[in-house]
Amino acid sequence: MKKIVITIIIIAIVGYFGRIDKEILDELDIVTAVGYDSKSKNKIEATAVVPVVNPDKSISNKTITSIGNLSKETLYYLNKKSAKPVVNGKIEVALYSKQLAEKGLQNYIDYLHRDPSIGTRLLLAVVDGNVKKMLEEPFKEFDTGTYIQRQIIQNIQNGFIPTTNVHLFLSSYYTEGMDPVLPIIELKEKNINIKGLALFKGTKMVDSIPYRKMFVFKALHENIKNAGYKLRTTEKGKTEYISIQGIQTKKKFQVQNIHTSPKITLHLKIKGYIREYTGATVTANTVIKAERLMKDKVQKETVSMIKNFQRYNIDPLAFGEQARSRTRHWDKKKWEQQYKKMKVNVVVDVSIVEIGVVDGH
Amino acid sequence: MNWFKKGSKTEEDSLLKVIEQFKKSGDFIDFQNPQSPTHYWISYFGSLVDAEIIHRDILPYLNKSSFKKIEDLKAALPIENIVVTSDLGQIQQMMLTGSVLIRLNIADKQGLLVRAEMNKAREVTIPEEEFSVVGPKESFVESLTTNLNLIRKRLPIPELEIKEFKIGNLSKTRVAVVYISGIANEENINTALQRVGDIQFHQILDSSYIAQMIQDNDNSPFPQLIDTERPDRAAGVLAEGSIVILVDGSPHALIGPTTLVKFFSALEDYFVNWQLASVLRILRLIAVTFSILVTPIYVAILNYHYELIPKDLMATLVSSRSLIPLPPFFEALILELTIELLREAGARLPTKVGQTIGIVGGIVIGTASVEAGLTSNVLLIIVALAALASFTTPVYKMSNTIRMIRFPFLVMAELWGLVGIAIAFIFLMGHLLRLTSFGRPYLEPIYPPRIEDLKDAFVRLPFKMQPKRPVELQSPETIKFSEKAAKQKKDIDE
């Protein structure tokens, strides 16, 4: 009996005083997106989006803004402006203005990485324009944070954005011989538009790729499972368009002479099917032509893209990582010198597997 | 009250004194028949004997002819088991269980005892608690003889042994321990016999009295003996090597040793094909886990772990809770208590009223409390589902336990969130691991792990694949049937 009483007393004491603070769901301001604008030389402006669920189940947006020096500090100041405690556990997107990205994201990402309640599947993006304005824009159906997250995820799965999140960003940042990339989005006529890709050297944005070249980049960066591509051709003096859909790509690296004068051969296999042709009929010739056209175009773009990377001395396609993982005694410094003059061969192989149910002749 | 004592043989006692004492009861009949050729005294309890037996089988023969000695009378009566004795204790005992005492003279020390007890038993009916759509539709009744008959009918073998005890110094209840010798483990039999024999209590009204007195851990909320109202289930476990305890006056048999998973297996599992049975068992186990954990998890997540809520669900949860003034714990507690109230009220009331209560409570109170903003509709769904899931347990006593152990989990969830639930779960597992049934581990196929027994635990594999008796029961005869012969398929031509 004595034992039981003591046990109950201990459980009661530990249970009551050993609690952590409660965070009751409906009494929180749950942030779904944060954005950072550069305000003045050393100040940044942080904007947080909080979805407000109305009793009639519609969702509206609330944005809280504060200005401070560090990102952690500014998030802390957000609490000051809210009736409910602001919590970070559900942040899905972190947006950075282009100016900030050009200055370097180190300080702002460190915080997201350090907070245990923030998941590493958080998406990062660079915004061309005012971040605050973008986050204040209301979208139907979802709150702004969820909306942007859904759009980026959708474009990762079915579009040209390379797979990205905090974990991958940091992994490519810390990996030797690899540089991170992030998507660039903008607010265009009340819609979120994917503008291109930001190329980073470390955590500093140095260059960007426009949207039309993102297909090639994604194909070189990872295996595409489902995408579309458009080709332009002239048939009997008329401009015709071929739309290739359901594209699947596979890439393969071949690295030679790593220690002396490295040479990389990139094999890129593209498979797809013709879904739309503005010309008369799709013939066997058209297929061969489309294959050749696409092959030439992709090759040309690839070569110029890689030249560009070499000029900026960035390595988003992880050639260095490929070389490092294939040899012992890989020297980073030596590699960086070699990288600029390195020869990259690109072998593209396009095959059109079908042309749709309307049979050509 | 010395007549309670069996065989009280003080010298002052005489048969007359015993009769005198019986006469104090209004239902005791003691008369001399002057019209018959032989004068005799007949005495019995009117409420215990069957008047028809007396009028048909005793009185006509007594009145027909005259007797000199009481032994002549014994030969004349067409009833067996007639006892001629002067043992006062035996006379008392037999008269109190429905025998008729016949004496030739009022002062005789010797008397003739004829069994004429009234056998008013309920008809064998359809099982109500363990109803199954397919399979036998017989259930135990209150009469021990009928119940034993129902079992013996299914096991017509000489090895089926029945040991009877009389327990309760007031109620003198007949308790039968049934087992198949050679199949049931000797140690288990001895444990059962010893524990039943050692019971000291004044009154046994039901088999649950026995269950509570012989179970291994009295402080456990978990029942350690299955109680069943199905004779087919009793016969089934007897054949596996378990021990069945039947109590006169109780329509429930006790089964032991048993394990936790057996409480979640219905007899119907053996009547349908094994795939379906396995699916149903897994469904039941999921339902039980769901029933215990879902409300605590709701409370824990809403209190401490908002990060775990999927984003699409968040709007639903927040909007359903936005107008509720109570914290999640009290909200859940109120709803859980309401459901328990409804269940209790439904169980205490007559069937027809009970159904109305269920509908009134379920629909009216539920909707009203949501509309009044006292509980969220998400929680209402969760609690109702949890209640529904707890009803899937085939053994009633286990479903009561499941109802109960939800509340400590709820308190722990309120205090420490998911960590609290984990701690409560550790305590529960620790308790279950220590629990035994007739000395055999309660959590058996899981711990200690017995691969052979897993064939009939969470799933039920085909009969052909289970040629052995459960390891749990430690039967000396481990083989149920010859696996080889069962596998052989005979051709028509042979």
Side-chain angles (χ1 to χ4, degrees):
Chain A
M1 196 60 210
K2 209 172 163 189
K3 247 189 200 167
I4 297 170
V5 171
I6 290 172
T7 322
I8 290 172
I9 290 172
I10 289 174
I11 288 178
I13 291 173
V14 175
Y16 187 78
F17 294 102
R19 291 179 304 177
I20 51 163
D21 284 339
K22 269 189 192 165
E23 290 173 326
I24 299 176
L25 177 72
D26 51 321
E27 287 160 20
L28 297 173
D29 265 349
I30 297 161
V31 178
T32 57
V34 283
Y36 297 100
D37 274 311
S38 168
K39 204 64 194 166
S40 62
K41 208 178 175 192
N42 282 323
K43 296 251 174 193
I44 55 159
E45 184 183 40
T47 312
V49 180
V50 176
V52 179
V53 183
N54 306 316
D56 63 343
K57 285 190 183 168
S58 63
I59 299 172
S60 52
N61 256 330
K62 186 169 93 175
T63 49
I64 314 167
T65 314
S66 79
I67 298 172
N69 285 329
L70 284 165
S71 81
K72 192 161 197 165
E73 193 188 14
T74 44
L75 268 189
Y76 175 73
Y77 282 134
L78 290 175
N79 252 330
K80 213 167 65 175
K81 299 193 173 175
S82 174
K84 298 171 181 176
V86 177
V87 289
N88 299 330
K90 273 285 182 195
I91 298 183
E92 309 254 357
V93 192
L95 302 175
Y96 300 94
S97 74
K98 212 173 165 184
Q99 290 100 301
L100 270 184
E102 276 159 2
K103 271 191 235 168
L105 296 178
Q106 181 58 47
N107 289 336
Y108 316 111
I109 285 173
D110 175 73
Y111 167 62
L112 298 173
H113 186 42
R114 214 170 279 279
D115 188 340
S117 69
I118 298 176
T120 49
R121 286 168 79 181
L122 164 76
L123 297 176
L124 301 174
V126 175
V127 175
D128 192 9
N130 193 320
V131 179
K132 192 183 168 192
K133 225 175 176 179
M134 179 186 266
L135 290 177
E136 277 171 349
E137 185 69 35
F139 296 96
K140 275 176 194 166
E141 223 180 321
F142 305 112
D143 65 277
T144 311
T146 315
Y147 186 89
I148 297 171
Q149 182 242 5
R150 281 185 180 244
Q151 188 168 355
I152 294 176
I153 291 279
Q154 200 273 115
N155 274 286
I156 287 172
Q157 280 162 0
N158 303 313
F160 300 149
I161 298 183
T163 315
T164 171
N165 55 37
V166 170
H167 173 80
L168 292 173
F169 182 88
L170 291 170
S171 142
S172 44
Y173 168 65
Y174 286 118
T175 305
E176 292 186 337
M178 201 170 169
D179 285 312
V181 288
L182 283 183
I184 304 178
I185 55 175
E186 62 174 352
L187 190 66
K188 204 174 179 186
E189 287 152 11
K190 302 205 164 195
N191 274 316
I192 306 282
N193 180 39
I194 290 149
K195 207 183 169 197
L197 272 180
L199 303 172
F200 284 80
K201 174 87 190 160
T203 55
K204 273 193 183 119
M205 177 178 161
V206 287
D207 193 21
S208 64
I209 299 174
Y211 183 76
R212 61 192 153 80
K213 284 187 183 170
M214 271 164 73
F215 168 74
V216 175
F217 182 84
K218 190 170 179 178
L220 297 170
H221 191 262
E222 62 202 60
N223 295 340
I224 297 180
K225 289 195 187 83
N226 180 24
Y229 200 66
K230 196 173 72 180
L231 294 171
R232 204 172 67 175
T233 156
T234 42
E235 189 101 8
K236 292 168 196 163
K238 246 175 89 188
T239 318
E240 305 283 7
Y241 292 96
I242 306 171
S243 164
I244 298 168
Q245 296 291 326
I247 292 176
Q248 296 178 353
T249 66
K250 259 183 192 162
K251 55 145 202 219
K252 219 166 137 190
F253 286 94
Q254 215 175 352
V255 192
Q256 288 158 324
N257 311 332
I258 293 169
H259 292 294
T260 52
S261 60
K263 188 183 150 201
I264 286 185
T265 314
L266 238 170
H267 296 273
L268 185 62
K269 261 188 190 167
I270 302 176
K271 256 196 252 173
Y273 46 80
I274 296 179
R275 267 289 168 271
E276 218 183 311
Y277 180 53
T278 52
T281 46
V282 181
T283 59
N285 261 339
T286 327
V287 172
I288 293 167
K289 201 172 166 189
E291 281 179 357
R292 207 184 52 231
L293 261 173
M294 188 163 181
K295 185 184 161 185
D296 290 348
K297 203 175 164 196
V298 169
Q299 184 147 21
K300 226 172 94 191
E301 273 181 26
T302 310
V303 169
S304 75
M305 195 183 276
I306 291 169
K307 282 250 168 69
N308 200 31
F309 293 158
Q310 284 173 325
R311 197 168 58 241
Y312 282 104
N313 201 14
I314 51 174
D315 193 2
L317 297 178
F319 290 136
E321 161 71 6
Q322 288 293 334
R324 189 194 61 80
S325 62
R326 276 155 214 247
T327 178
R328 286 161 202 269
H329 317 300
W330 182 78
D331 185 9
K332 196 187 169 195
K333 274 184 188 156
K334 198 176 157 199
W335 171 262
E336 270 170 4
Q337 284 168 358
Q338 290 167 337
Y339 180 68
K340 281 202 162 188
K341 291 168 221 150
M342 186 180 67
K343 258 196 175 173
V344 181
N345 245 346
V346 185
V347 182
V348 185
D349 175 27
V350 182
S351 70
I352 305 282
V353 286
E354 59 144 320
I355 56 171
V357 279
V358 185
D359 204 2
H361 299 286
Chain B
M1 300 252 268
N2 53 5
W3 51 271
F4 282 143
K5 285 175 200 149
K6 204 175 169 182
S8 52
K9 277 181 198 157
T10 36
E11 275 183 40
E12 292 160 56
D13 273 352
S14 70
L15 193 53
L16 264 178
K17 266 198 177 164
V18 171
I19 302 284
E20 274 309 302
Q21 193 176 17
F22 282 169
K23 269 188 178 165
K24 285 178 190 164
S25 303
D27 59 342
F28 187 71
I29 296 161
D30 178 42
F31 65 94
Q32 189 191 26
N33 199 341
Q35 282 136 28
S36 64
T38 323
H39 291 259
Y40 61 87
W41 287 84
I42 183 161
S43 31
Y44 56 88
F45 278 95
S47 54
L48 283 175
V49 300
D50 192 343
E52 210 185 313
I53 296 178
I54 294 181
H55 288 293
R56 191 187 59 205
D57 299 334
I58 300 174
L59 290 183
Y61 296 94
L62 287 178
N63 297 346
K64 231 189 269 173
S65 50
S66 64
F67 307 101
K68 291 263 153 44
K69 280 197 297 181
I70 207 151
E71 275 79 13
D72 297 340
L73 191 59
K74 187 179 175 185
L77 286 175
I79 298 176
E80 284 174 43
N81 278 333
I82 294 173
V83 181
V84 178
T85 182
S86 56
D87 182 352
L88 283 179
Q90 198 186 359
I91 291 172
Q92 259 182 5
Q93 195 62 49
M94 285 189 72
M95 285 184 77
L96 280 166
T97 51
S99 290
V100 177
L101 176 74
I102 300 165
R103 286 163 297 160
L104 293 178
N105 296 305
I106 190 155
D108 268 1
K109 285 215 164 117
Q110 212 179 28
L112 178 98
L113 288 158
V114 188
R115 296 196 73 89
E117 69 259 59
M118 193 153 39
N119 266 322
K120 275 248 168 84
R122 195 159 56 95
E123 283 287 304
V124 175
T125 50
I126 296 172
E128 279 172 11
E129 290 155 34
E130 293 172 75
F131 181 78
S132 77
V133 181
V134 283
K137 300 266 190 299
E138 279 181 328
S139 81
F140 284 132
V141 290
E142 280 78 3
S143 153
L144 180 63
T145 326
T146 317
N147 292 350
L148 287 173
N149 165 269
L150 288 173
I151 291 181
R152 215 178 248 293
K153 225 165 57 180
R154 289 174 167 82
L155 290 164
I157 44 164
E159 287 86 1
L160 183 74
E161 284 178 16
I162 297 165
K163 288 268 179 317
E164 253 194 66
F165 295 84
K166 275 217 161 67
I167 293 162
N169 40 22
L170 282 184
S171 67
K172 312 262 185 231
T173 314
R174 288 164 67 204
V175 177
V177 179
V178 187
Y179 54 87
I180 302 177
S181 70
I183 289 179
N185 180 279
E186 202 62 32
E187 205 179 307
N188 292 347
I189 298 172
N190 289 339
T191 314
L193 289 179
Q194 191 193 358
R195 286 195 191 167
V196 172
D198 283 352
I199 293 175
Q200 290 297 327
F201 205 60
H202 65 295
Q203 196 181 31
I204 306 290
L205 292 181
D206 186 56
S207 60
S208 2
Y209 279 59
I210 303 282
Q212 287 173 56
M213 283 166 205
I214 64 171
Q215 64 189 6
D216 300 44
N217 185 349
D218 227 4
N219 296 324
S220 169
F222 287 89
Q224 290 137 57
L225 298 165
I226 296 182
D227 57 339
T228 180
E229 54 166 1
R230 298 188 63 114
D232 40 357
R233 185 169 195 166
V237 295
L238 277 174
E240 292 205 317
S242 286
I243 291 155
V244 171
I245 296 166
L246 289 161
V247 178
D248 196 23
S250 163
H252 286 105
L254 301 173
I255 299 169
T258 185
T259 57
L260 182 69
V261 285
K262 291 231 174 82
F263 282 89
F264 302 106
S265 76
L267 196 63
E268 206 174 21
D269 294 351
Y270 298 96
F271 301 152
V272 294
N273 60 23
W274 67 271
Q275 300 93 334
L276 187 60
S278 305
V279 169
L280 289 177
R281 268 193 195 176
I282 291 166
L283 183 78
R284 251 177 252 137
L285 285 163
I286 292 171
V288 167
T289 330
F290 178 84
S291 174
I292 295 173
L293 293 179
V294 71
T295 332
I297 285 177
Y298 172 88
V299 170
I301 287 183
L302 254 70
N303 264 344
Y304 295 104
H305 315 284
Y306 68 93
E307 297 102 327
L308 289 177
I309 304 167
K311 199 116 116 271
D312 298 328
L313 196 66
M314 197 128 81
T316 321
L317 278 176
V318 172
S319 69
S320 79
R321 262 199 57 81
S322 58
L323 293 176
I324 289 146
L326 297 166
F329 174 67
F330 288 103
E331 188 195 356
L333 199 65
I334 284 175
L335 259 190
E336 285 283 358
L337 286 177
T338 313
I339 291 259
E340 293 304 318
L341 267 181
L342 284 173
R343 232 195 283 214
E344 197 57 26
R348 298 289 150 253
L349 281 168
T351 329
K352 280 176 189 161
V353 192
Q355 279 170 358
T356 327
I357 286 283
I359 295 162
V360 168
I363 299 170
V364 178
I365 299 180
T367 345
S369 64
V370 168
E371 272 174 18
L374 284 176
T375 49
S376 68
N377 38 22
V378 175
L379 184 66
L380 188 69
I381 295 166
I382 286 176
V383 170
L385 271 181
L388 193 66
S390 74
F391 287 130
T392 56
T393 320
V395 181
Y396 180 70
K397 279 184 183 162
M398 187 49 103
S399 79
N400 281 347
T401 306
I402 286 158
R403 272 163 75 175
M404 204 196 79
I405 55 174
R406 196 182 305 155
F407 289 97
F409 274 90
L410 205 59
V411 173
M412 292 302 270
E414 158 72 6
L415 288 177
W416 291 334
L418 285 181
V419 179
I421 293 178
I423 290 169
F425 196 76
I426 289 167
F427 270 95
L428 179 71
M429 283 317 279
H431 174 69
L432 285 175
L433 279 167
R434 286 178 49 147
L435 214 54
T436 53
S437 164
F438 277 166
R440 303 277 169 210
Y442 192 62
L443 214 56
E444 189 254 347
I446 310 161
Y447 195 86
R450 297 281 178 266
I451 309 258
E452 200 61 34
D453 285 9
L454 280 173
K455 287 179 181 172
D456 189 10
F458 302 106
V459 292
R460 181 184 78 75
L461 294 187
F463 291 130
K464 252 188 212 173
M465 286 177 72
Q466 302 178 37
K468 285 182 183 162
R469 296 210 156 78
V471 184
E472 155 86 1
L473 299 171
Q474 293 287 322
S475 171
E477 182 71 42
T478 50
I479 308 294
K480 269 194 235 173
F481 57 86
S482 159
E483 203 177 356
K484 227 177 170 182
K487 267 185 186 163
Q488 235 164 37
K489 291 219 170 92
K490 289 207 173 71
D491 218 287
I492 298 172
D493 305 341
E494 280 175 43

